[in-house]
Amino acid sequence: MKYKSILITGGAGFIGSHVVRLFVNKYPDIRIINLDKLTYAGNLANLKDIEDCPNYQFVKADICDFETVRDIIRRNEVDAIVHLAAESHVDRSITDPFLFARVNVMGTLTLLEAARQVWEIEGWEGKRYYQISTDEVYGALQFDGTLFTETTRYDPHSPYSAAKASADHFVRAYHDTYGMPTVISNCSNNYGPFQFPEKLIPLFLNNIRFRKPLPVYGKGENVRDWLYVVDHARAIDLILHEGQVAETYNIGGFNEWKNIDLIKVLIQTADRLLGRAEGEDLDLITYVADRKGHDLRYAIDSTKIATELGWKPSVTFEQGIELTIRWYLEHQDWLDNVTSGDYLQYYEKMYGNC
Ligand code: NAD
Ligand code: TYD
């Protein structure tokens, strides 16, 4: 399917910025609109290299603002929406669940309804609404080798995953009720450049650099399935253009890591790149109280997207993690900027506070 005008929400965030960059470069004839509220997690510095491209447009807006969103869709003749904007950090959802319901549930519903009001009149033909979801909606696995498939029952545990699951249900309801051409993908943990340093990998790399303690939740035995963010962006491109309406696609790298083992890789690699004795910083590991309701294990079966759409990761984990660790160590200015909050003041001056 070929689109004229693609609206990407949350394009100033971690994954969204990789999707925007890929689309702007790959589709010079398609208008790419990045709608982002620029919360603490949104940073236009992530998109410096493409901000002047003629097919790219940034709009500072809140997905919960119905009239603004509908106006953007109508005025720009948007025929495809890739919805990434969300509150994304599990720990924050535990302390502020209302915010997660507002943004992740009501924000998604607002976007769906705004699109319906425009597209139902224009006709559904050639339109696509794409929901970017997470493997966390499936709940937690035991250490038994099982994997999440597209038919695994939703069983979310955290306020974050409950809100994402609820949003996915609304997306399916809009397909079943109104006939909206929707598609959903559920991806595992992403890693790579431009991730806000509240998440495990960038937080720990920043702490290693300054020899600060590394807070490992519980015993560090929880397992996550890590995928390089650029490979997620490539999968999103493929699903948007070739995925079937009303289908779900799981995306993951068959790459499970126990947290503590991954943390040791981070320390050893960072030490080597920083010219320190390898493993010198292992004593920074500090076991702290476990996260409430901490899901034990996530692991994705991505056979469907591989066999039906021909997707496979472009880098191995060894390549991706080395690239990522180097990137954070070489972009301390980016980390300093986002951790100091300087960028928020800069954007408020430029775009006001919506
Ligand atoms: P992120 O926190 O880095 O970025 C979220 C972006 O959304 C930010 O730019 C923020 O400014 C914007 N935003 C937040 N609230 C908004 C609002 N009300 N209106 C407009 N914009 C708003 O998140 P991320 O890690 O890039 O995740 C992006 C999406 O991918 C999310 O939907 C998340 O659930 C999903 N996902 C993430 C992962 C992961 O490992 N990070 C894995 C699977 C799925
Ligand atoms: P995170 O990056 O927050 O992603 P998610 O919770 O969405 O999987 O956390 C990845 C894993 O690392 C998760 O099991 C929680 C753990 N973790 C820590 O042990 N310490 C930390 O400081 C953080 C942020 C996460």
Side-chain angles (χ1 to χ4, degrees), residues 140-147 256 296-297 299:
L141 297 165
Q142 296 304 310
F143 294 126
D144 56 5
T146 52
L147 303 172
E256 291 179 51
L296 186 62
R297 174 174 164 258

Side-chain angles (χ1 to χ4, degrees), residues 89 136 189 198-200 203 215 217 224 259 291 294:
H89 189 40
E136 305 192 23
N189 285 62
E198 63 187 352
K199 307 279 168 53
L200 180 76
L203 173 72
Y217 298 161
R224 297 292 182 264
N259 287 343
R291 173 186 277 172
H294 197 173

Side-chain angles (χ1 to χ4, degrees), residues 145-212:
T146 52
L147 303 172
F148 296 132
T149 72
E150 286 80 0
T151 55
T152 302
R153 193 173 68 90
Y154 274 30
D155 183 22
H157 298 146
S158 72
Y160 162 68
S161 54
K164 291 293 293 185
S166 170
D168 293 359
H169 290 315
F170 271 107
V171 174
R172 294 195 172 99
Y174 265 65
H175 171 266
D176 296 349
T177 308
Y178 305 107
M180 181 179 281
T182 58
V183 66
I184 299 178
S185 62
N186 299 77
C187 190
S188 62
N189 285 62
N190 286 214
Y191 70 94
F194 300 119
Q195 187 170 32
F196 193 82
E198 63 187 352
K199 307 279 168 53
L200 180 76
I201 291 179
L203 173 72
F204 277 33
L205 289 171
N206 200 35
N207 286 8
I208 293 166
R209 147 93 67 175
F210 295 110
R211 294 204 158 100
K212 288 188 354 200

Side-chain angles (χ1 to χ4, degrees), residues 80-97:
I81 297 174
V82 183
H83 178 36
L84 294 113
E87 286 293 332
S88 66
H89 189 40
V90 174
D91 292 328
R92 287 181 192 252
S93 82
I94 295 168
T95 51
D96 193 357

